[in-house]
mmCIF file with all atom_site columns, all heavy atoms in Angstrom:
data_model
loop_
_atom_site.group_PDB
_atom_site.id
_atom_site.type_symbol
_atom_site.label_atom_id
_atom_site.label_alt_id
_atom_site.label_comp_id
_atom_site.label_asym_id
_atom_site.label_entity_id
_atom_site.label_seq_id
_atom_site.pdbx_PDB_ins_code
_atom_site.Cartn_x
_atom_site.Cartn_y
_atom_site.Cartn_z
_atom_site.occupancy
_atom_site.B_iso_or_equiv
_atom_site.pdbx_formal_charge
_atom_site.auth_seq_id
_atom_site.auth_comp_id
_atom_site.auth_asym_id
_atom_site.auth_atom_id
_atom_site.pdbx_PDB_model_num
ATOM 1   N N   . ASN A 1 1  ? 36.581 -3.749  122.281 1.00 60.00 ? 1  ASN A N   1
ATOM 2   C CA  . ASN A 1 1  ? 35.289 -3.166  122.629 1.00 60.00 ? 1  ASN A CA  1
ATOM 3   C C   . ASN A 1 1  ? 34.171 -3.616  121.808 1.00 60.00 ? 1  ASN A C   1
ATOM 4   O O   . ASN A 1 1  ? 34.081 -3.532  120.565 1.00 60.00 ? 1  ASN A O   1
ATOM 5   C CB  . ASN A 1 1  ? 35.446 -1.519  122.347 1.00 60.00 ? 1  ASN A CB  1
ATOM 6   C CG  . ASN A 1 1  ? 34.302 -0.717  122.887 1.00 60.00 ? 1  ASN A CG  1
ATOM 7   O OD1 . ASN A 1 1  ? 33.194 -1.317  123.031 1.00 60.00 ? 1  ASN A OD1 1
ATOM 8   N ND2 . ASN A 1 1  ? 34.498 0.512   123.173 1.00 60.00 ? 1  ASN A ND2 1
ATOM 9   N N   . VAL A 1 2  ? 33.152 -4.288  122.548 1.00 66.00 ? 2  VAL A N   1
ATOM 10  C CA  . VAL A 1 2  ? 32.086 -4.935  121.779 1.00 66.00 ? 2  VAL A CA  1
ATOM 11  C C   . VAL A 1 2  ? 30.756 -4.143  122.038 1.00 66.00 ? 2  VAL A C   1
ATOM 12  O O   . VAL A 1 2  ? 29.674 -4.662  121.760 1.00 66.00 ? 2  VAL A O   1
ATOM 13  C CB  . VAL A 1 2  ? 31.872 -6.409  122.293 1.00 66.00 ? 2  VAL A CB  1
ATOM 14  C CG1 . VAL A 1 2  ? 33.085 -7.131  121.784 1.00 66.00 ? 2  VAL A CG1 1
ATOM 15  C CG2 . VAL A 1 2  ? 31.606 -6.431  123.752 1.00 66.00 ? 2  VAL A CG2 1
ATOM 16  N N   . ASP A 1 3  ? 30.856 -2.879  122.630 1.00 60.00 ? 3  ASP A N   1
ATOM 17  C CA  . ASP A 1 3  ? 29.600 -2.120  122.874 1.00 60.00 ? 3  ASP A CA  1
ATOM 18  C C   . ASP A 1 3  ? 28.967 -1.773  121.477 1.00 60.00 ? 3  ASP A C   1
ATOM 19  O O   . ASP A 1 3  ? 29.644 -1.798  120.519 1.00 60.00 ? 3  ASP A O   1
ATOM 20  C CB  . ASP A 1 3  ? 30.039 -0.818  123.603 1.00 60.00 ? 3  ASP A CB  1
ATOM 21  C CG  . ASP A 1 3  ? 30.240 -0.971  125.104 1.00 60.00 ? 3  ASP A CG  1
ATOM 22  O OD1 . ASP A 1 3  ? 30.139 -2.173  125.492 1.00 60.00 ? 3  ASP A OD1 1
ATOM 23  O OD2 . ASP A 1 3  ? 30.470 -0.034  125.721 1.00 60.00 ? 3  ASP A OD2 1
ATOM 24  N N   . ALA A 1 4  ? 27.711 -1.501  121.517 1.00 55.00 ? 4  ALA A N   1
ATOM 25  C CA  . ALA A 1 4  ? 26.866 -1.349  120.430 1.00 55.00 ? 4  ALA A CA  1
ATOM 26  C C   . ALA A 1 4  ? 27.384 -0.080  119.599 1.00 55.00 ? 4  ALA A C   1
ATOM 27  O O   . ALA A 1 4  ? 27.409 -0.201  118.344 1.00 55.00 ? 4  ALA A O   1
ATOM 28  C CB  . ALA A 1 4  ? 25.417 -1.173  120.709 1.00 55.00 ? 4  ALA A CB  1
ATOM 29  N N   . ASP A 1 5  ? 27.806 0.908   120.305 1.00 61.00 ? 5  ASP A N   1
ATOM 30  C CA  . ASP A 1 5  ? 28.311 2.165   119.693 1.00 61.00 ? 5  ASP A CA  1
ATOM 31  C C   . ASP A 1 5  ? 29.810 2.315   120.100 1.00 61.00 ? 5  ASP A C   1
ATOM 32  O O   . ASP A 1 5  ? 30.037 3.051   121.041 1.00 61.00 ? 5  ASP A O   1
ATOM 33  C CB  . ASP A 1 5  ? 27.562 3.324   120.032 1.00 61.00 ? 5  ASP A CB  1
ATOM 34  C CG  . ASP A 1 5  ? 27.884 4.582   119.364 1.00 61.00 ? 5  ASP A CG  1
ATOM 35  O OD1 . ASP A 1 5  ? 28.785 4.476   118.437 1.00 61.00 ? 5  ASP A OD1 1
ATOM 36  O OD2 . ASP A 1 5  ? 27.310 5.738   119.750 1.00 61.00 ? 5  ASP A OD2 1
ATOM 37  N N   . ALA A 1 6  ? 30.711 1.466   119.528 1.00 62.00 ? 6  ALA A N   1
ATOM 38  C CA  . ALA A 1 6  ? 32.072 1.476   120.002 1.00 62.00 ? 6  ALA A CA  1
ATOM 39  C C   . ALA A 1 6  ? 32.688 2.886   119.718 1.00 62.00 ? 6  ALA A C   1
ATOM 40  O O   . ALA A 1 6  ? 33.683 3.200   120.449 1.00 62.00 ? 6  ALA A O   1
ATOM 41  C CB  . ALA A 1 6  ? 32.805 0.489   119.213 1.00 62.00 ? 6  ALA A CB  1
ATOM 42  N N   . ALA A 1 7  ? 32.237 3.676   118.798 1.00 58.00 ? 7  ALA A N   1
ATOM 43  C CA  . ALA A 1 7  ? 32.815 4.869   118.457 1.00 58.00 ? 7  ALA A CA  1
ATOM 44  C C   . ALA A 1 7  ? 32.744 5.901   119.587 1.00 58.00 ? 7  ALA A C   1
ATOM 45  O O   . ALA A 1 7  ? 33.528 6.740   119.909 1.00 58.00 ? 7  ALA A O   1
ATOM 46  C CB  . ALA A 1 7  ? 32.261 5.643   117.217 1.00 58.00 ? 7  ALA A CB  1
ATOM 47  N N   . SER A 1 8  ? 31.715 5.727   120.462 1.00 62.00 ? 8  SER A N   1
ATOM 48  C CA  . SER A 1 8  ? 31.506 6.720   121.568 1.00 62.00 ? 8  SER A CA  1
ATOM 49  C C   . SER A 1 8  ? 31.804 6.071   123.021 1.00 62.00 ? 8  SER A C   1
ATOM 50  O O   . SER A 1 8  ? 31.513 6.678   123.985 1.00 62.00 ? 8  SER A O   1
ATOM 51  C CB  . SER A 1 8  ? 30.093 7.242   121.585 1.00 62.00 ? 8  SER A CB  1
ATOM 52  O OG  . SER A 1 8  ? 29.160 6.197   121.730 1.00 62.00 ? 8  SER A OG  1
ATOM 53  N N   . SER A 1 9  ? 32.186 4.776   122.884 1.00 73.00 ? 9  SER A N   1
ATOM 54  C CA  . SER A 1 9  ? 32.502 4.133   124.089 1.00 73.00 ? 9  SER A CA  1
ATOM 55  C C   . SER A 1 9  ? 33.937 3.850   124.483 1.00 73.00 ? 9  SER A C   1
ATOM 56  O O   . SER A 1 9  ? 34.777 3.718   123.441 1.00 73.00 ? 9  SER A O   1
ATOM 57  C CB  . SER A 1 9  ? 31.794 2.735   124.100 1.00 73.00 ? 9  SER A CB  1
ATOM 58  O OG  . SER A 1 9  ? 32.208 1.764   125.166 1.00 73.00 ? 9  SER A OG  1
ATOM 59  N N   . THR A 1 10 ? 34.344 3.880   125.660 1.00 85.00 ? 10 THR A N   1
ATOM 60  C CA  . THR A 1 10 ? 35.731 3.548   126.007 1.00 85.00 ? 10 THR A CA  1
ATOM 61  C C   . THR A 1 10 ? 35.821 2.140   126.668 1.00 85.00 ? 10 THR A C   1
ATOM 62  O O   . THR A 1 10 ? 36.906 1.895   127.185 1.00 85.00 ? 10 THR A O   1
ATOM 63  C CB  . THR A 1 10 ? 36.232 4.660   126.994 1.00 85.00 ? 10 THR A CB  1
ATOM 64  O OG1 . THR A 1 10 ? 35.456 4.655   128.222 1.00 85.00 ? 10 THR A OG1 1
ATOM 65  C CG2 . THR A 1 10 ? 36.203 6.038   126.366 1.00 85.00 ? 10 THR A CG2 1
ATOM 66  N N   . ASN A 1 11 ? 34.719 1.484   126.712 1.00 86.00 ? 11 ASN A N   1
ATOM 67  C CA  . ASN A 1 11 ? 34.605 0.312   127.478 1.00 86.00 ? 11 ASN A CA  1
ATOM 68  C C   . ASN A 1 11 ? 35.290 -0.980  126.752 1.00 86.00 ? 11 ASN A C   1
ATOM 69  O O   . ASN A 1 11 ? 34.725 -1.831  126.207 1.00 86.00 ? 11 ASN A O   1
ATOM 70  C CB  . ASN A 1 11 ? 33.226 -0.132  127.796 1.00 86.00 ? 11 ASN A CB  1
ATOM 71  C CG  . ASN A 1 11 ? 33.057 -1.456  128.627 1.00 86.00 ? 11 ASN A CG  1
ATOM 72  O OD1 . ASN A 1 11 ? 34.115 -1.697  129.291 1.00 86.00 ? 11 ASN A OD1 1
ATOM 73  N ND2 . ASN A 1 11 ? 31.947 -1.981  128.544 1.00 86.00 ? 11 ASN A ND2 1
ATOM 74  N N   . SER A 1 12 ? 36.628 -0.931  126.716 1.00 91.00 ? 12 SER A N   1
ATOM 75  C CA  . SER A 1 12 ? 37.416 -2.048  125.991 1.00 91.00 ? 12 SER A CA  1
ATOM 76  C C   . SER A 1 12 ? 37.837 -2.969  127.186 1.00 91.00 ? 12 SER A C   1
ATOM 77  O O   . SER A 1 12 ? 38.122 -2.626  128.295 1.00 91.00 ? 12 SER A O   1
ATOM 78  C CB  . SER A 1 12 ? 38.649 -1.594  125.454 1.00 91.00 ? 12 SER A CB  1
ATOM 79  O OG  . SER A 1 12 ? 39.525 -0.904  126.217 1.00 91.00 ? 12 SER A OG  1
ATOM 80  N N   . ASP A 1 13 ? 37.687 -4.424  126.987 1.00 93.00 ? 13 ASP A N   1
ATOM 81  C CA  . ASP A 1 13 ? 38.047 -5.405  127.840 1.00 93.00 ? 13 ASP A CA  1
ATOM 82  C C   . ASP A 1 13 ? 39.099 -6.267  127.291 1.00 93.00 ? 13 ASP A C   1
ATOM 83  O O   . ASP A 1 13 ? 39.453 -6.223  126.140 1.00 93.00 ? 13 ASP A O   1
ATOM 84  C CB  . ASP A 1 13 ? 36.838 -6.243  128.213 1.00 93.00 ? 13 ASP A CB  1
ATOM 85  C CG  . ASP A 1 13 ? 35.772 -5.378  129.082 1.00 93.00 ? 13 ASP A CG  1
ATOM 86  O OD1 . ASP A 1 13 ? 36.185 -4.958  130.161 1.00 93.00 ? 13 ASP A OD1 1
ATOM 87  O OD2 . ASP A 1 13 ? 34.635 -5.259  128.650 1.00 93.00 ? 13 ASP A OD2 1
ATOM 88  N N   . ILE A 1 14 ? 39.643 -7.118  128.207 1.00 95.00 ? 14 ILE A N   1
ATOM 89  C CA  . ILE A 1 14 ? 40.858 -8.016  127.803 1.00 95.00 ? 14 ILE A CA  1
ATOM 90  C C   . ILE A 1 14 ? 40.111 -9.362  127.764 1.00 95.00 ? 14 ILE A C   1
ATOM 91  O O   . ILE A 1 14 ? 39.503 -9.887  128.532 1.00 95.00 ? 14 ILE A O   1
ATOM 92  C CB  . ILE A 1 14 ? 41.867 -7.868  128.922 1.00 95.00 ? 14 ILE A CB  1
ATOM 93  C CG1 . ILE A 1 14 ? 42.467 -6.609  128.888 1.00 95.00 ? 14 ILE A CG1 1
ATOM 94  C CG2 . ILE A 1 14 ? 42.897 -8.990  128.498 1.00 95.00 ? 14 ILE A CG2 1
ATOM 95  C CD1 . ILE A 1 14 ? 43.527 -6.282  129.984 1.00 95.00 ? 14 ILE A CD1 1
ATOM 96  N N   . TYR A 1 15 ? 40.468 -10.111 126.603 1.00 95.00 ? 15 TYR A N   1
ATOM 97  C CA  . TYR A 1 15 ? 40.029 -11.426 126.467 1.00 95.00 ? 15 TYR A CA  1
ATOM 98  C C   . TYR A 1 15 ? 41.293 -12.377 126.303 1.00 95.00 ? 15 TYR A C   1
ATOM 99  O O   . TYR A 1 15 ? 42.382 -11.897 125.921 1.00 95.00 ? 15 TYR A O   1
ATOM 100 C CB  . TYR A 1 15 ? 39.232 -11.517 125.093 1.00 95.00 ? 15 TYR A CB  1
ATOM 101 C CG  . TYR A 1 15 ? 37.936 -10.742 125.206 1.00 95.00 ? 15 TYR A CG  1
ATOM 102 C CD1 . TYR A 1 15 ? 37.915 -9.488  125.171 1.00 95.00 ? 15 TYR A CD1 1
ATOM 103 C CD2 . TYR A 1 15 ? 36.652 -11.378 125.175 1.00 95.00 ? 15 TYR A CD2 1
ATOM 104 C CE1 . TYR A 1 15 ? 36.761 -8.655  125.125 1.00 95.00 ? 15 TYR A CE1 1
ATOM 105 C CE2 . TYR A 1 15 ? 35.489 -10.660 125.263 1.00 95.00 ? 15 TYR A CE2 1
ATOM 106 C CZ  . TYR A 1 15 ? 35.542 -9.314  125.161 1.00 95.00 ? 15 TYR A CZ  1
ATOM 107 O OH  . TYR A 1 15 ? 34.346 -8.673  125.253 1.00 95.00 ? 15 TYR A OH  1
ATOM 108 N N   . VAL A 1 16 ? 41.076 -13.639 126.655 1.00 95.00 ? 16 VAL A N   1
ATOM 109 C CA  . VAL A 1 16 ? 42.072 -14.672 126.371 1.00 95.00 ? 16 VAL A CA  1
ATOM 110 C C   . VAL A 1 16 ? 41.463 -15.778 125.465 1.00 95.00 ? 16 VAL A C   1
ATOM 111 O O   . VAL A 1 16 ? 40.226 -16.087 125.364 1.00 95.00 ? 16 VAL A O   1
ATOM 112 C CB  . VAL A 1 16 ? 42.462 -15.284 127.721 1.00 95.00 ? 16 VAL A CB  1
ATOM 113 C CG1 . VAL A 1 16 ? 43.245 -14.350 128.534 1.00 95.00 ? 16 VAL A CG1 1
ATOM 114 C CG2 . VAL A 1 16 ? 41.234 -15.927 128.416 1.00 95.00 ? 16 VAL A CG2 1
ATOM 115 N N   . VAL A 1 17 ? 42.426 -16.366 124.617 1.00 95.00 ? 17 VAL A N   1
ATOM 116 C CA  . VAL A 1 17 ? 41.989 -17.500 123.717 1.00 95.00 ? 17 VAL A CA  1
ATOM 117 C C   . VAL A 1 17 ? 43.110 -18.418 123.630 1.00 95.00 ? 17 VAL A C   1
ATOM 118 O O   . VAL A 1 17 ? 44.321 -18.033 123.649 1.00 95.00 ? 17 VAL A O   1
ATOM 119 C CB  . VAL A 1 17 ? 41.717 -16.860 122.408 1.00 95.00 ? 17 VAL A CB  1
ATOM 120 C CG1 . VAL A 1 17 ? 42.865 -16.215 121.734 1.00 95.00 ? 17 VAL A CG1 1
ATOM 121 C CG2 . VAL A 1 17 ? 41.145 -17.962 121.482 1.00 95.00 ? 17 VAL A CG2 1
ATOM 122 N N   . PRO A 1 18 ? 42.875 -19.778 123.686 1.00 95.00 ? 18 PRO A N   1
ATOM 123 C CA  . PRO A 1 18 ? 44.037 -20.626 123.566 1.00 95.00 ? 18 PRO A CA  1
ATOM 124 C C   . PRO A 1 18 ? 44.781 -20.430 122.209 1.00 95.00 ? 18 PRO A C   1
ATOM 125 O O   . PRO A 1 18 ? 44.105 -20.127 121.246 1.00 95.00 ? 18 PRO A O   1
ATOM 126 C CB  . PRO A 1 18 ? 43.316 -21.996 123.563 1.00 95.00 ? 18 PRO A CB  1
ATOM 127 C CG  . PRO A 1 18 ? 41.951 -21.704 124.208 1.00 95.00 ? 18 PRO A CG  1
ATOM 128 C CD  . PRO A 1 18 ? 41.525 -20.396 123.853 1.00 95.00 ? 18 PRO A CD  1
ATOM 129 N N   . ILE A 1 19 ? 46.070 -20.706 122.315 1.00 93.00 ? 19 ILE A N   1
ATOM 130 C CA  . ILE A 1 19 ? 46.899 -20.565 121.091 1.00 93.00 ? 19 ILE A CA  1
ATOM 131 C C   . ILE A 1 19 ? 46.521 -21.353 120.034 1.00 93.00 ? 19 ILE A C   1
ATOM 132 O O   . ILE A 1 19 ? 46.462 -21.034 118.838 1.00 93.00 ? 19 ILE A O   1
ATOM 133 C CB  . ILE A 1 19 ? 48.401 -20.740 121.556 1.00 93.00 ? 19 ILE A CB  1
ATOM 134 C CG1 . ILE A 1 19 ? 48.920 -19.619 122.436 1.00 93.00 ? 19 ILE A CG1 1
ATOM 135 C CG2 . ILE A 1 19 ? 49.350 -20.634 120.271 1.00 93.00 ? 19 ILE A CG2 1
ATOM 136 C CD1 . ILE A 1 19 ? 50.266 -19.820 122.930 1.00 93.00 ? 19 ILE A CD1 1
ATOM 137 N N   . ALA A 1 20 ? 46.053 -22.610 120.316 1.00 94.00 ? 20 ALA A N   1
ATOM 138 C CA  . ALA A 1 20 ? 45.576 -23.582 119.337 1.00 94.00 ? 20 ALA A CA  1
ATOM 139 C C   . ALA A 1 20 ? 44.317 -23.423 118.881 1.00 94.00 ? 20 ALA A C   1
ATOM 140 O O   . ALA A 1 20 ? 43.781 -24.003 117.981 1.00 94.00 ? 20 ALA A O   1
ATOM 141 C CB  . ALA A 1 20 ? 45.726 -25.047 119.923 1.00 94.00 ? 20 ALA A CB  1
ATOM 142 N N   . GLY A 1 21 ? 43.591 -22.281 119.365 1.00 92.00 ? 21 GLY A N   1
ATOM 143 C CA  . GLY A 1 21 ? 42.188 -21.997 119.004 1.00 92.00 ? 21 GLY A CA  1
ATOM 144 C C   . GLY A 1 21 ? 41.240 -22.526 120.134 1.00 92.00 ? 21 GLY A C   1
ATOM 145 O O   . GLY A 1 21 ? 41.534 -23.380 120.939 1.00 92.00 ? 21 GLY A O   1
ATOM 146 N N   . GLY A 1 22 ? 40.065 -22.078 120.072 1.00 94.00 ? 22 GLY A N   1
ATOM 147 C CA  . GLY A 1 22 ? 39.038 -22.404 120.958 1.00 94.00 ? 22 GLY A CA  1
ATOM 148 C C   . GLY A 1 22 ? 38.216 -21.350 121.560 1.00 94.00 ? 22 GLY A C   1
ATOM 149 O O   . GLY A 1 22 ? 38.030 -20.264 120.900 1.00 94.00 ? 22 GLY A O   1
ATOM 150 N N   . GLU A 1 23 ? 37.626 -21.491 122.650 1.00 94.00 ? 23 GLU A N   1
ATOM 151 C CA  . GLU A 1 23 ? 36.784 -20.533 123.249 1.00 94.00 ? 23 GLU A CA  1
ATOM 152 C C   . GLU A 1 23 ? 37.425 -19.219 123.655 1.00 94.00 ? 23 GLU A C   1
ATOM 153 O O   . GLU A 1 23 ? 38.523 -19.221 124.288 1.00 94.00 ? 23 GLU A O   1
ATOM 154 C CB  . GLU A 1 23 ? 36.062 -21.031 124.525 1.00 94.00 ? 23 GLU A CB  1
ATOM 155 C CG  . GLU A 1 23 ? 34.984 -20.189 125.204 1.00 94.00 ? 23 GLU A CG  1
ATOM 156 C CD  . GLU A 1 23 ? 34.527 -20.688 126.379 1.00 94.00 ? 23 GLU A CD  1
ATOM 157 O OE1 . GLU A 1 23 ? 34.973 -21.786 126.910 1.00 94.00 ? 23 GLU A OE1 1
ATOM 158 O OE2 . GLU A 1 23 ? 33.659 -20.026 127.114 1.00 94.00 ? 23 GLU A OE2 1
ATOM 159 N N   . ILE A 1 24 ? 36.855 -18.053 123.295 1.00 94.00 ? 24 ILE A N   1
ATOM 160 C CA  . ILE A 1 24 ? 37.264 -16.809 123.648 1.00 94.00 ? 24 ILE A CA  1
ATOM 161 C C   . ILE A 1 24 ? 36.649 -16.395 124.925 1.00 94.00 ? 24 ILE A C   1
ATOM 162 O O   . ILE A 1 24 ? 35.358 -16.454 125.049 1.00 94.00 ? 24 ILE A O   1
ATOM 163 C CB  . ILE A 1 24 ? 37.074 -15.722 122.584 1.00 94.00 ? 24 ILE A CB  1
ATOM 164 C CG1 . ILE A 1 24 ? 37.633 -16.123 121.226 1.00 94.00 ? 24 ILE A CG1 1
ATOM 165 C CG2 . ILE A 1 24 ? 37.371 -14.361 123.038 1.00 94.00 ? 24 ILE A CG2 1
ATOM 166 C CD1 . ILE A 1 24 ? 37.343 -15.270 120.097 1.00 94.00 ? 24 ILE A CD1 1
ATOM 167 N N   . ARG A 1 25 ? 37.387 -15.987 125.971 1.00 93.00 ? 25 ARG A N   1
ATOM 168 C CA  . ARG A 1 25 ? 36.846 -15.722 127.295 1.00 93.00 ? 25 ARG A CA  1
ATOM 169 C C   . ARG A 1 25 ? 37.226 -14.346 127.720 1.00 93.00 ? 25 ARG A C   1
ATOM 170 O O   . ARG A 1 25 ? 38.461 -13.965 127.718 1.00 93.00 ? 25 ARG A O   1
ATOM 171 C CB  . ARG A 1 25 ? 37.304 -16.768 128.196 1.00 93.00 ? 25 ARG A CB  1
ATOM 172 C CG  . ARG A 1 25 ? 36.760 -16.639 129.672 1.00 93.00 ? 25 ARG A CG  1
ATOM 173 C CD  . ARG A 1 25 ? 37.052 -17.849 130.518 1.00 93.00 ? 25 ARG A CD  1
ATOM 174 N NE  . ARG A 1 25 ? 38.436 -18.181 130.527 1.00 93.00 ? 25 ARG A NE  1
ATOM 175 C CZ  . ARG A 1 25 ? 39.333 -17.782 131.455 1.00 93.00 ? 25 ARG A CZ  1
ATOM 176 N NH1 . ARG A 1 25 ? 38.787 -17.008 132.505 1.00 93.00 ? 25 ARG A NH1 1
ATOM 177 N NH2 . ARG A 1 25 ? 40.545 -18.122 131.438 1.00 93.00 ? 25 ARG A NH2 1
ATOM 178 N N   . LYS A 1 26 ? 36.324 -13.516 128.187 1.00 93.00 ? 26 LYS A N   1
ATOM 179 C CA  . LYS A 1 26 ? 36.541 -12.120 128.765 1.00 93.00 ? 26 LYS A CA  1
ATOM 180 C C   . LYS A 1 26 ? 37.060 -12.295 130.268 1.00 93.00 ? 26 LYS A C   1
ATOM 181 O O   . LYS A 1 26 ? 36.408 -13.005 130.934 1.00 93.00 ? 26 LYS A O   1
ATOM 182 C CB  . LYS A 1 26 ? 35.318 -11.263 128.611 1.00 93.00 ? 26 LYS A CB  1
ATOM 183 C CG  . LYS A 1 26 ? 35.603 -9.855  129.035 1.00 93.00 ? 26 LYS A CG  1
ATOM 184 C CD  . LYS A 1 26 ? 34.342 -8.994  128.728 1.00 93.00 ? 26 LYS A CD  1
ATOM 185 C CE  . LYS A 1 26 ? 33.344 -9.125  129.681 1.00 93.00 ? 26 LYS A CE  1
ATOM 186 N NZ  . LYS A 1 26 ? 32.187 -8.124  129.627 1.00 93.00 ? 26 LYS A NZ  1
#
């Protein structure tokens, strides 16, 4: 959850990232 007020937000999303490291993508 990257919302500005995470404590009151339920908007969590799923991200992927290469195992070797690299760009994080929603």
Side-chain angles (χ1 to χ4, degrees):
N1 189 335
V2 297
D3 282 2
D5 187 7
S8 62
S9 169
T10 62
N11 184 24
S12 60
D13 289 302
I14 297 172
Y15 294 73
V16 294
V17 61
I19 293 177
E23 180 186 1
I24 299 174
R25 183 167 56 92
K26 186 172 74 168

